[in-house]
Amino acid sequence: AAYQGVEGAWSHIALRRMFPFARATAFATWPEVFDAVQNGDAQFGVLPFENSNAGDVSAVLDLLYTHPDIIVTHMQDMPIQQDLLGVKGAKLSNVRTVISHPQALAQSSVFLQQHGFATQSWINTADAAKHIAELNDPTVAAIASAETAELYGLDILAEGVNADGDNTTRFIVIEKEGAQRQPIAAAPGQRLSMLFTVDHKPGRLARVIQIIGERGFNMETIKSRPLPHVQFEYYFYVQLVCPANAATDDCAKLVHELENVCRTVRILGVFDL
């Protein structure tokens, strides 16, 4: 199972909870995780997809769009507590600069502003913790997990610095789709995740939303992202909840109807949440 970052990163923690017996393989970037799954070097990839406070991880969504052979087989929500970590003997009053992943900095913006800390973006939270451990400078701290503090021998200078006490990150599990595409079927309450594009004309997106509602699917989320290499046009991501009385072929019927009004439709996955 592949993840981005170093040991102790939130993706590594999520991977260990979902795949406790897998051989965890670290990669430096999210595209490398996708490539590892695409090339068969890893069966699964575990990536952050959305945060309840900071919003979606747009770069991961764009990678799903540009990797048509990759599907999402599972989503899992994980509560996130971000702590402020410093080297042994450091004090909160010593800290001048805080480094972490941009998402962690965004989630902790209230705390950071209250203390007037300078900030610096880092590739991920665990690597930020590893860096300050090596730097051994009491004026530089990192936002990361308590597990990471233990791993790199750091002190926790402040607990729960993320603004939202119910801060949760949704992680996805990706796989390479098999040669034989499976029938689209879902049970009541399951989630249907898809990407689609429509002609850039009035009413096209509204018609898609209307069809989804008419078929009894509840739209939990809709996101738009710029189409690669097409100026000022967009693709859409939606996550739907299958209706309580869903029949096994309801998803296939929905997709068939959407294909008649959309330019492209692609199913990412059907799963429990």
Side-chain angles (χ1 to χ4, degrees):
Y3 70 98
Q4 182 271 332
V6 297
E7 187 178 0
W10 282 111
S11 292
H12 178 256
I13 294 170
L15 184 154
R16 278 296 171 216
R17 292 182 184 180
M18 288 187 277
F19 300 103
F21 303 109
R23 178 167 58 87
T25 304
F27 291 88
T29 65
W30 290 325
E32 287 177 278
V33 173
F34 273 81
D35 291 343
V37 175
Q38 179 84 47
N39 299 333
D41 296 326
Q43 183 176 356
F44 305 106
V46 177
L47 303 115
F49 190 63
E50 187 173 8
N51 179 266
S52 59
N53 189 23
D56 61 88
V57 184
S58 299
V60 171
L61 183 56
D62 288 344
L63 285 164
L64 284 171
Y65 184 82
T66 56
H67 287 73
D69 293 336
I70 296 295
I71 58 173
V72 178
T73 58
H74 185 64
M75 286 190 177
Q76 182 160 319
D77 294 348
M78 191 170 77
I80 300 293
Q81 176 173 302
Q82 304 280 18
D83 298 330
L84 186 70
L85 313 182
V87 296
K88 288 293 183 182
K91 297 179 180 179
L92 185 60
S93 58
N94 299 140
V95 176
R96 297 291 179 268
T97 303
V98 176
I99 67 173
S100 195
H101 188 274
Q103 288 275 341
L105 294 174
Q107 294 161 23
S108 309
S109 59
V110 174
F111 173 84
L112 295 170
Q113 290 169 8
Q114 285 174 343
H115 289 81
F117 295 139
T119 60
Q120 184 178 352
S121 296
W122 214 255
I123 190 168
N124 62 58
T125 57
D127 197 63
K130 181 181 179 183
H131 175 73
I132 69 163
E134 295 169 348
L135 190 64
N136 197 30
D137 182 346
T139 69
V140 183
I143 295 175
S145 67
E147 290 95 332
T148 307
E150 184 177 355
L151 184 65
Y152 294 111
L154 300 171
D155 286 344
I156 297 177
L157 306 182
E159 294 183 348
V161 298
N162 42 304
D164 187 351
D166 297 321
N167 185 26
T168 299
T169 293
R170 176 165 292 173
F171 288 87
I172 59 171
V173 176
I174 61 170
E175 282 189 69
K176 185 177 181 179
E177 188 175 40
Q180 286 291 105
R181 177 178 284 272
Q182 297 300 311
I184 304 167
Q190 283 191 313
R191 269 59 176 182
L192 175 65
S193 179
M194 69 171 71
L195 301 171
F196 67 90
T197 60
V198 292
D199 289 336
H200 198 30
K201 297 178 180 178
R204 292 302 172 93
L205 178 60
R207 179 57 184 147
V208 170
I209 295 172
Q210 182 182 19
I211 291 171
I212 290 170
E214 289 173 350
R215 285 286 179 183
F217 288 79
N218 181 37
M219 184 186 295
E220 281 190 318
T221 185
I222 180 168
K223 306 176 191 297
S224 65
R225 292 289 300 156
L227 267 174
H229 314 301
V230 183
Q231 289 187 349
F232 305 114
E233 291 196 30
Y234 304 87
Y235 73 88
F236 298 89
Y237 167 84
V238 292
Q239 184 170 297
L240 312 176
V241 183
C242 299
N245 58 349
T248 55
D249 62 347
D250 279 357
C251 285
K253 289 179 178 178
L254 171 67
V255 172
H256 177 71
E257 191 166 353
L258 290 178
E259 286 174 338
N260 291 327
V261 298
C262 293
R263 191 185 300 164
T264 61
V265 179
R266 177 178 151 215
I267 301 300
L268 285 178
V270 177
F271 39 77
D272 293 307
L273 185 61

